[in-house]
Amino acid sequence: MDTRINLPQSEMPTKWYNPLPDLPTPLAPPLDPVTQQPLTPDKLEPIFAKALIEQEMSPDRWIAIPEPVLDVYRLFRPTPLVRAKKLEEAIGTKCRIYYKNESVSPAGSHKPNTSIPQVYYNKREGVKRLATETGAGQWGTALSFACSQFDMACTVYMVRVSYEQKPYRKILINTYGGEIFASPSMQTETGRAMLAKDPDCKGSLGLAISEAVEDAATHADTNYTLGSVLNHVILHQTIVGLETEQQLKMIGEKPDYLIGCVGGGSNFGGLVAPFLPRKLAGENITFVAAEPKACPTLTRGSFRYDYGDMARLTPLMKMHTLGHAFMPAPIHAGGLRYHGDAPIVCNLMAEGLVDARAYYQKECFEAAQLFLKTEGFLPAPETSHAILSAIDVAKTAKPGSAIVFLYSGHGMLDLGSYDAYLRGDLTNFELPQEDIDSALSLCPNIGG
Amino acid sequence: MDTRINLPQSEMPTKWYNPLPDLPTPLAPPLDPVTQQPLTPDKLEPIFAKALIEQEMSPDRWIAIPEPVLDVYRLFRPTPLVRAKKLEEAIGTKCRIYYKNESVSPAGSHKPNTSIPQVYYNKREGVKRLATETGAGQWGTALSFACSQFDMACTVYMVRVSYEQKPYRKILINTYGGEIFASPSMQTETGRAMLAKDPDCKGSLGLAISEAVEDAATHADTNYTLGSVLNHVILHQTIVGLETEQQLKMIGEKPDYLIGCVGGGSNFGGLVAPFLPRKLAGENITFVAAEPKACPTLTRGSFRYDYGDMARLTPLMKMHTLGHAFMPAPIHAGGLRYHGDAPIVCNLMAEGLVDARAYYQKECFEAAQLFLKTEGFLPAPETSHAILSAIDVAKTAKPGSAIVFLYSGHGMLDLGSYDAYLRGDLTNFELPQEDIDSALSLCPNIGG
């Protein structure tokens, strides 16, 4: 049997799946950050494309993918589903392990699945420039790639610790035609205020979001885009799960475990959401979310309303949070350093539909090196969490189980972190409970 | 129609094609560097695996690929053939342009096609360590990847100018378990002698080959491997052309032009060789070799016997050469900075079967950026020569022509060179004729 399952391009999904109508309990509505009342769509219009706001709240189960978006998807989609036989042999499992390889996109990760439609819709509505934040740089790269496809200007605020660890990200974003600033930056009020307080501040996703939102809010021709967390982002990412479902069907395989790493939740959400109806109908599919112990949102966070960003500019969302003021340790999986999680993922978690597991970064790098040694490819540090989780699951799963994990990105631009790993310079961060308590004490107290 | 043509893994070629028996004139034999008499196979045994020496001189048209090699090939092969529609539209051509994407391998280039069998045969013959040189780093990465698959120690001598330009290469090779030295190094007599003469020497492929050959010759458990030039390397690379032929057949397409960049000639040779019988039978297929003006071996070199390395340790081979003492300018396409070319490619060139074209590096980076803007992917600087050549060919080709170029590698580890390009720091090197004349005057004078 082929170890790589290629879906013909002619069978690529032409609709995204929207899990909102299928959630067992309705999603708690986002709240206005000032009035704390349910948000009206018009409040989002200054910084988001109307089409995306509609998708954010859409009751429709299926949403057609516009042809110009499909056209760019076809540059790299469908992506292969791969049987990791050498990894299976190395760990001596009797399970079958598959990985859905999203690293084959131009930007090297799953992120273009949503950057492409986000740029498309903004372009269609006359927006001239998009501002965003990026952690490890995957989202910033994906947005600049999509902007180059649609001739859109692009400004990226990159969390400073990652900006310094990954110098090639800046060059790649520039080569795609985007501009990039280390966050906190001098470009925004929020950035300048933070630098005045702490000139050595290493930044966080929450802070970088504040900068990008402020940039968009203060420039009429500029909108904001987010690479994770929001419903429309997970909607776009469902193409990953939909393809995976077709590919598994091609080989007569039913998944027992679906695994993704979780930062904001978009790759995990995009993989598992299309399987939600089957799970709710009684199929025994376990959704496993892998997160870092240094930022254990799902495993140790509180399920409550919180802001999406440090400066409290975003709507309040009900999610598992470590508090919007939480500043995670500088682990190398920069894309997993977010204080909250996608409301859709948290909704599933709260319903007991997600098995969340937290890992130390050294273990993750060890799993990454085993993957490199067996399957040959170099994973992104974020992706290594999903790999370790797949190995972890295989240890206790029933022999014969089918384990599918999402290979969210390659690590070619993260080699600095592998250098640190090889030199023995990595720290395993364990978060003291009092840090969580103190950050959570700053959260608004809404609805108990 | 699908823009990506995937060959099912079950139809992956299981034999390599050996062009030696089909060459219109027999290949001039390699000569002993000391006696200048035809080389006997036993002279190669101290540094090469016996199976590879056999393949080097084999009269067999087809050679079976061993199952353990196929097994590693399956980690990434067959590679996709892709219709570059957006590139076609951007340049307004009426030709169809395809690229065979070898960048999808773990090492990010076509090089694993030969590193995998080379390591396999050496392992089978009891060799414990392999030494090699690398220019841009693609070959060193590919060898360290293959060594990690077969548990073999690996030592890489990397041309210093590239070692300094591409720091991530070192880390990646280390992560695969290989060791790496900037060449000239203090590890060998050759390296130490060069450093004594010129402590700032930036190195060359010819010099790095000398170091690796010396390392292998002076250690009983160590063999040498070469990533290009030799017949067995092109043999292994023919899997690229064989797959391409099957993929074109799948869509009912006949190639009018086959294009590859040429450094040592392995990716170009591997693409075109399987089409040689059809070309000799009268099919109108043009083989286009794209090389840098800074190292114009095929377009301005002399077709004669010369050494493969600077220290004159290797056999003499009849090839287009700029002289083994030639030190090319530090262009960013480090993999194309070789003074000679594969004897098989040169044989075809001398027979008038190859259309060789030379390009400046700035034009190549412009073509790379156009490819990035249209097809989305970041090419290696070497690969950009093939892209520019495809655009160049499309300008004058008959409308409706099918142009296939080899996308030999991605540029994720070459971002330093894109930074230089964006900053306007690239130089277009034009080689003065007296430099060529002076280097050629040091070549041995054999057979006129």
Side-chain angles (χ1 to χ4, degrees):
Chain A
M1 202 204 66
D2 287 14
T3 53
R4 282 179 316 134
I5 300 105
N6 285 313
L7 187 68
Q9 222 168 36
S10 50
E11 293 174 31
M12 189 171 86
T14 54
K15 290 171 184 167
W16 294 299
Y17 165 72
N18 177 13
L20 288 183
D22 289 332
L23 294 178
T25 51
L27 209 60
L31 305 182
D32 185 295
V34 180
T35 66
Q36 303 195 351
Q37 292 306 304
L39 198 72
T40 48
D42 58 291
K43 284 290 177 71
L44 295 171
E45 286 179 14
I47 61 167
F48 283 107
K50 284 197 186 71
L52 295 169
I53 299 170
E54 253 175 59
Q55 291 180 353
E56 186 68 16
M57 307 181 173
S58 172
D60 302 333
R61 189 170 280 113
W62 297 98
I63 294 178
I65 308 176
E67 187 51 45
V69 171
L70 288 171
D71 202 40
V72 182
Y73 275 177
R74 287 190 197 102
L75 292 175
F76 61 99
R77 302 211 72 87
T79 63
L81 181 72
V82 186
R83 174 88 182 266
K85 283 192 99 161
K86 286 180 189 284
L87 176 63
E88 289 172 17
E89 284 158 26
I91 64 173
T93 181
K94 295 206 160 54
C95 298
R96 294 178 299 287
I97 301 180
Y98 298 88
Y99 67 95
K100 175 68 170 165
N101 190 352
E102 291 293 308
S103 78
V104 301
S105 82
S109 79
H110 65 292
K111 293 289 187 187
N113 298 330
T114 184
S115 71
I116 297 163
Q118 289 196 47
V119 174
Y120 166 75
Y121 290 119
N122 274 287
K123 178 84 182 181
R124 213 182 53 177
E125 296 179 20
V127 173
K128 301 293 177 214
R129 184 170 68 98
L130 290 174
T132 199
E133 74 292 333
T134 196
Q138 287 185 336
W139 170 242
T141 306
L143 188 69
S144 64
F145 153 64
C147 283
S148 88
Q149 285 286 321
F150 292 101
D151 282 315
M152 172 84 83
C154 178
T155 304
V156 177
Y157 295 88
M158 184 167 180
V159 178
R160 184 174 298 273
V161 58
S162 294
Y163 185 92
E164 287 166 1
Q165 281 168 352
K166 304 170 202 284
Y168 275 16
R169 283 288 175 197
K170 172 188 179 301
I171 305 171
L172 183 53
I173 288 169
N174 287 160
T175 309
Y176 276 123
E179 62 175 356
I180 179 168
F181 302 100
S183 167
S185 77
M186 294 300 285
Q187 300 298 113
T188 65
E189 282 299 327
T190 306
R192 289 188 291 269
M194 178 53 88
L195 287 172
K197 223 172 74 183
D198 175 10
D200 297 326
C201 176
K202 291 292 184 195
S204 72
L205 270 178
L207 179 62
I209 292 173
S210 299
E211 289 208 87
V213 168
E214 180 187 326
D215 182 334
T218 53
H219 294 90
D221 64 347
T222 302
N223 262 354
Y224 169 70
T225 68
L226 191 64
S228 192
V229 179
L230 298 182
N231 302 343
H232 67 268
V233 175
I234 290 186
L235 172 77
H236 303 152
Q237 291 293 353
T238 59
I239 193 163
V240 175
L242 292 168
E243 283 184 7
T244 302
E245 191 170 22
Q246 285 175 257
Q247 288 163 314
L248 289 170
K249 204 175 153 192
M250 280 169 71
I251 54 168
E253 184 79 272
K254 280 184 176 192
D256 296 294
Y257 295 88
L258 293 171
I259 302 172
C261 62
V262 175
S266 78
N267 88 67
F268 172 76
L271 174 67
V272 307
F275 293 88
L276 181 62
R278 287 167 59 171
K279 185 174 172 68
L280 293 176
E283 253 188 77
N284 196 2
I285 311 176
T286 306
F287 298 166
V288 183
E291 63 179 13
K293 283 209 187 223
C295 191
T297 332
L298 292 174
T299 50
R300 297 178 63 198
S302 171
F303 186 48
R304 62 192 292 173
Y305 271 104
D306 194 9
Y307 299 98
D309 71 323
M310 187 163 273
R312 298 182 288 189
L313 300 174
T314 73
L316 290 154
M317 291 173 292
K318 192 164 182 189
M319 56 184 181
H320 291 79
T321 179
L322 297 166
H324 60 273
F326 176 67
M327 189 70 80
I331 56 167
H332 286 275
L336 307 185
R337 294 173 74 246
Y338 184 59
H339 68 274
D341 262 320
I344 287 178
V345 169
C346 295
N347 177 291
L348 297 178
M349 179 78 191
E351 290 292 315
L353 298 170
V354 174
D355 173 6
R357 306 183 184 199
Y359 300 103
Y360 288 117
Q361 71 170 345
K362 277 197 227 176
E363 303 164 345
C364 292
F365 274 93
E366 277 161 23
Q369 212 178 31
L370 179 62
F371 188 85
L372 184 80
K373 168 89 185 139
T374 51
E375 298 297 313
F377 291 94
L378 184 82
E382 292 79 10
T383 309
S384 71
H385 290 69
I387 297 171
L388 176 56
S389 188
I391 295 169
D392 189 21
V393 163
K395 278 184 195 150
T396 56
K398 210 164 55 180
S401 295
I403 300 168
V404 180
F405 73 88
L406 180 44
Y407 191 82
S408 56
H410 67 61
M412 287 291 167
L413 301 187
D414 305 293
L415 278 159
S417 63
Y418 281 90
D419 195 31
Y421 167 68
L422 292 175
R423 282 188 279 103
D425 275 0
L426 290 191
T427 306
N428 273 343
F429 296 99
E430 180 88 63
L431 204 57
Q433 187 59 42
E434 60 262 34
D435 286 12
I436 301 181
D437 294 342
S438 124
L440 284 177
S441 72
L442 301 172
C443 290
N445 214 340
I446 298 167
Chain B
M1 204 201 67
D2 286 14
T3 52
R4 281 179 316 134
I5 300 105
N6 286 312
L7 187 69
Q9 220 168 37
S10 50
E11 293 174 30
M12 189 171 84
T14 56
K15 291 171 183 165
W16 293 300
Y17 165 72
N18 177 14
L20 289 182
D22 289 331
L23 294 178
T25 53
L27 210 60
L31 305 181
D32 185 296
V34 179
T35 67
Q36 304 195 349
Q37 293 304 304
L39 196 75
T40 48
D42 59 292
K43 285 291 179 69
L44 295 172
E45 285 178 14
I47 61 168
F48 283 107
K50 283 198 186 71
L52 295 169
I53 300 170
E54 252 176 59
Q55 291 180 353
E56 187 68 15
M57 306 180 172
S58 172
D60 302 334
R61 190 169 280 113
W62 296 100
I63 294 177
I65 308 176
E67 188 50 45
V69 172
L70 288 172
D71 202 40
V72 184
Y73 276 176
R74 286 190 199 102
L75 291 175
F76 61 98
R77 303 210 70 86
T79 63
L81 181 72
V82 186
R83 174 89 182 267
K85 284 192 97 162
K86 286 180 190 283
L87 177 63
E88 289 172 18
E89 283 158 26
I91 63 173
T93 182
K94 294 206 162 54
C95 298
R96 294 178 299 285
I97 300 179
Y98 299 89
Y99 66 95
K100 175 69 169 166
N101 191 354
E102 290 294 307
S103 77
V104 300
S105 82
S109 79
H110 65 293
K111 294 289 187 189
N113 297 330
T114 185
S115 70
I116 296 162
Q118 289 196 49
V119 174
Y120 166 74
Y121 290 120
N122 274 288
K123 178 82 181 182
R124 213 182 53 177
E125 295 178 22
V127 174
K128 301 291 177 217
R129 183 170 66 98
L130 290 173
T132 199
E133 75 291 334
T134 196
Q138 286 184 337
W139 169 242
T141 306
L143 188 68
S144 64
F145 154 63
C147 283
S148 88
Q149 284 285 321
F150 292 101
D151 281 315
M152 171 85 83
C154 177
T155 303
V156 177
Y157 295 89
M158 183 166 180
V159 178
R160 184 173 299 272
V161 58
S162 293
Y163 184 91
E164 288 167 358
Q165 280 168 354
K166 303 168 204 287
Y168 275 15
R169 283 286 175 197
K170 172 188 179 302
I171 304 171
L172 183 52
I173 288 169
N174 288 160
T175 308
Y176 276 123
E179 62 175 357
I180 179 167
F181 301 101
S183 168
S185 78
M186 294 300 285
Q187 300 298 114
T188 66
E189 282 298 330
T190 308
R192 289 189 290 270
M194 178 52 89
L195 286 172
K197 221 172 76 183
D198 175 10
D200 297 326
C201 177
K202 291 292 183 196
S204 73
L205 269 179
L207 179 63
I209 292 173
S210 299
E211 290 208 86
V213 169
E214 181 186 325
D215 183 335
T218 53
H219 294 90
D221 64 348
T222 302
N223 262 355
Y224 169 70
T225 68
L226 191 63
S228 192
V229 179
L230 298 181
N231 302 344
H232 67 267
V233 176
I234 290 187
L235 172 76
H236 302 152
Q237 291 293 355
T238 60
I239 193 164
V240 176
L242 292 167
E243 282 184 6
T244 302
E245 192 171 19
Q246 285 174 258
Q247 287 164 313
L248 288 170
K249 205 174 152 193
M250 280 169 70
I251 52 166
E253 185 78 272
K254 281 185 174 189
D256 296 293
Y257 295 89
L258 294 171
I259 303 173
C261 62
V262 175
S266 78
N267 88 65
F268 173 76
L271 173 67
V272 308
F275 292 88
L276 182 61
R278 288 167 60 172
K279 183 174 173 69
L280 294 175
E283 251 187 78
N284 196 5
I285 310 177
T286 306
F287 297 166
V288 183
E291 64 180 13
K293 283 210 187 221
C295 193
T297 332
L298 292 175
T299 49
R300 297 178 64 197
S302 172
F303 186 47
R304 62 192 293 172
Y305 271 104
D306 195 8
Y307 300 97
D309 71 322
M310 187 163 272
R312 297 181 291 191
L313 299 174
T314 72
L316 290 153
M317 291 173 292
K318 192 163 181 190
M319 56 184 181
H320 290 78
T321 179
L322 297 166
H324 60 272
F326 176 69
M327 190 69 83
I331 56 167
H332 286 275
L336 307 185
R337 294 174 74 247
Y338 184 59
H339 69 273
D341 262 320
I344 288 177
V345 170
C346 294
N347 177 289
L348 297 177
M349 180 79 190
E351 291 292 317
L353 298 169
V354 174
D355 173 7
R357 306 182 183 199
Y359 300 102
Y360 289 116
Q361 70 172 346
K362 276 196 230 178
E363 301 164 346
C364 292
F365 274 93
E366 278 161 24
Q369 212 179 31
L370 179 61
F371 188 85
L372 184 80
K373 168 86 185 144
T374 51
E375 298 298 314
F377 291 94
L378 184 82
E382 292 78 10
T383 310
S384 71
H385 289 71
I387 297 170
L388 176 55
S389 190
I391 295 169
D392 190 21
V393 163
K395 277 184 197 151
T396 57
K398 212 165 52 180
S401 295
I403 300 168
V404 180
F405 73 88
L406 180 43
Y407 191 82
S408 56
H410 67 62
M412 286 291 167
L413 301 186
D414 306 293
L415 277 160
S417 63
Y418 281 90
D419 195 30
Y421 167 68
L422 293 175
R423 281 188 280 102
D425 275 359
L426 290 190
T427 307
N428 273 344
F429 295 99
E430 180 88 63
L431 204 57
Q433 187 59 41
E434 59 262 34
D435 287 12
I436 301 181
D437 294 342
S438 125
L440 284 177
S441 72
L442 301 172
C443 290
N445 212 339
I446 297 166

